[in-house]
Amino acid sequence: MTTDWQKIYKNKKVLITGHTGFKGSWLAIWLSKLGADVIGYSLDPISDECLFELAELSNKMKDIRGDIRDAVKLQAVFEQYQPEIVFHLAAQPLVKQSYLDPVYTYEVNVMGTMNVLEAIRKSPSIKAGVMVTSDKCYDNKELVWGYRETDPMGGYDPYSSSKGCCEILISSYQNSFFPIDSYSKHGKLIASVRAGNVIGGGDWSKNRIIPDCVRSLLSGQSIKVRSPQSVRPWQHVLEPLSGYLKIGAYLYEEKTQYAEGWNFGPESKSVTTVQQLVEKIVMQWKGGTWEVDTSVSAEHEAKLLSLDINKAKHYLDWHPKWDIDQTVYYTIEWYKLYKEVDVYELCLKQISDYEK
């Protein structure tokens, strides 16, 4: 079922930064389904088995390879293709990697976001920009309640703090260059969106729970779990993407009240421990074992993090559709089928199931 806001994307020029990544690939597939003219700007995919390659997305969109840190090349892409809506997903997305290379993390996440904001500012065609950050942008005190959009930004590790920096940067551009009270002059609306721990088919990143589990299950090895009691807001990738798409459509329609920060996470009952998630994965896989990884890691890792999603529920009429069991079902279904079926069609089927 196509809703009114989904119809907005038909024949629109939509630019995705980070389109070869996990979330970016799913977003490209969904936008293509909605009839958008999709343009992607990203580094090369991380492997031949990633979703972008398996779904053969280079044949279904304008596939441009470039570094988000290259402001000149990025600006040239905006000038050549004249996108109307931008989804900024390009990032160094891993906490562990941020400890290994903090400078690169800040360059990509902070200065890369600056480059996108500058391109939006200079581009006459852009009407809407959806800037994707992270649930880890908040100053996490590991409290039992979820963080609201008005809570302070922060971040313990380089990755998390880089996302906090991005939020401050985005807010500054909103105030300085795209203020609501002078919208009639600049004609641009931007919003920042923050998602929980996103899972789903096609993610092969290192040091992420689902790829780690699937690699172990496929090879017949026991799953190694680092922090079994850590609590996370797990959600299927389609959940936040539906929110991003809705925000993008509303911004394009000049609904200025949506040019703010937004949380997208699961219902509280789906906020579970790593152990509970792994046990559901093993059950859905119908086989496999897991054990605690006793190797000591020096890096700090938050034990508790959740988001308050009442703002999106109340003002955006956005609600999570899949609980933790459905999320695991569709995730494991993808990994069990991807070698046997057309991956692009498999993703379209799951999107259609989600839209019902």
Side-chain angles (χ1 to χ4, degrees):
M1 181 180 70
T2 303
T3 60
D4 289 340
W5 67 261
Q6 288 176 306
K7 294 174 184 175
I8 293 294
Y9 289 100
K10 189 171 179 61
N11 299 322
K12 299 296 188 301
K13 290 184 178 181
V14 182
L15 174 67
I16 304 172
T17 70
H19 70 290
T20 63
F22 166 54
K23 285 174 76 175
S25 295
W26 274 101
L27 181 59
I29 293 169
W30 203 338
L31 281 166
S32 296
K33 182 177 185 291
L34 295 176
D37 179 5
V38 186
I39 307 135
Y41 182 90
S42 182
L43 297 175
D44 292 335
I46 59 171
S47 76
D48 292 338
E49 273 215 315
C50 73
L51 178 56
F52 181 85
E53 294 288 6
L54 293 171
E56 300 180 349
L57 289 181
S58 60
N59 301 326
K60 301 175 176 70
M61 62 184 294
K62 292 182 179 68
D63 173 25
I64 303 160
R65 302 300 166 83
D67 195 315
I68 201 70
R69 297 174 296 172
D70 188 341
V72 174
K73 184 171 184 178
L74 181 66
Q75 184 65 45
V77 169
F78 273 71
E79 291 171 1
Q80 179 178 352
Y81 293 98
Q82 296 290 301
E84 299 159 89
I85 304 170
V86 175
F87 291 91
H88 173 47
L89 283 79
Q92 191 298 95
L94 302 173
V95 171
K96 200 170 183 69
Q97 185 63 31
S98 77
Y99 280 106
L100 299 174
D101 200 343
V103 173
Y104 176 76
T105 300
Y106 284 107
E107 286 177 347
V108 172
N109 293 355
V110 183
M111 293 310 298
T113 297
M114 168 76 84
N115 291 339
V116 174
L117 288 167
E118 274 294 278
I120 291 172
R121 185 173 73 86
K122 294 174 182 177
S123 172
S125 62
I126 291 293
K127 289 191 66 177
V130 180
M131 314 296 289
V132 180
T133 64
S134 169
D135 61 339
K136 296 177 180 63
C137 67
Y138 293 106
D139 183 15
N140 186 11
K141 303 297 186 184
E142 304 198 26
L143 304 172
V144 294
W145 54 82
Y147 289 96
R148 294 179 177 177
E149 288 84 350
T150 52
D151 283 333
M153 298 297 137
Y156 183 104
D157 56 86
Y159 168 77
S160 302
S161 63
S162 76
K163 290 300 185 177
C165 289
C166 287
E167 288 287 353
I168 295 169
L169 177 60
I170 294 162
S171 178
S172 174
Y173 265 71
Q174 285 174 318
N175 294 330
S176 302
F177 303 113
F178 317 125
I180 301 302
D181 57 8
S182 59
Y183 173 73
S184 60
K185 295 180 181 179
H186 57 75
K188 301 178 192 298
L189 295 173
I190 60 172
S192 67
V193 292
R194 308 144 193 178
N197 282 48
V198 173
I199 62 176
D203 186 6
W204 295 104
S205 299
K206 293 181 180 178
N207 300 309
R208 276 208 184 125
I209 188 66
I210 295 295
D212 287 350
C213 286
V214 170
R215 278 189 283 262
S216 297
L217 291 166
L218 288 172
S219 63
Q221 298 177 333
S222 183
I223 300 167
K224 296 286 185 70
V225 180
R226 284 197 310 273
S227 305
Q229 297 311 311
S230 290
V231 176
R232 293 287 184 273
W234 312 105
Q235 58 185 154
H236 194 275
V237 63
L238 296 179
E239 298 277 23
L241 291 185
S242 69
Y244 302 173
L245 286 166
K246 199 168 190 179
I247 287 286
Y250 285 173
L251 296 181
Y252 183 86
E253 289 186 306
E254 304 184 359
K255 295 180 178 179
T256 56
Q257 68 268 35
Y258 295 100
E260 298 181 339
W262 298 87
N263 288 341
F264 297 101
E267 299 286 4
S268 57
K269 62 184 177 183
S270 289
V271 178
T272 60
T273 66
V274 174
Q275 177 176 336
Q276 288 170 316
L277 177 68
V278 171
E279 287 173 346
K280 289 178 184 295
I281 290 168
V282 170
M283 186 181 302
Q284 192 63 49
W285 195 270
K286 295 182 170 56
T289 59
W290 70 274
E291 61 189 69
V292 177
D293 186 353
T294 55
S295 60
V296 178
S297 175
E299 293 95 3
H300 170 271
E301 196 168 0
K303 301 296 182 190
L304 178 63
L305 177 61
S306 63
L307 295 175
D308 186 315
I309 58 172
N310 283 310
K311 179 181 175 181
K313 284 180 172 182
H314 185 75
Y315 293 107
L316 192 61
D317 193 25
W318 175 89
H319 303 269
K321 290 187 175 183
W322 290 346
D323 62 20
I324 187 65
D325 291 317
Q326 290 168 298
T327 294
V328 171
Y329 170 81
Y330 279 100
T331 299
I332 297 306
E333 177 191 59
W334 191 98
Y335 286 105
K336 282 196 157 189
L337 292 177
Y338 83 96
K339 289 186 178 181
E340 304 167 12
V341 301
D342 182 312
V343 168
Y344 186 76
E345 293 298 325
L346 173 59
C347 293
L348 287 178
K349 175 195 169 293
Q350 291 198 344
I351 292 171
S352 293
D353 286 352
Y354 181 83
E355 289 176 326
K356 289 176 182 175

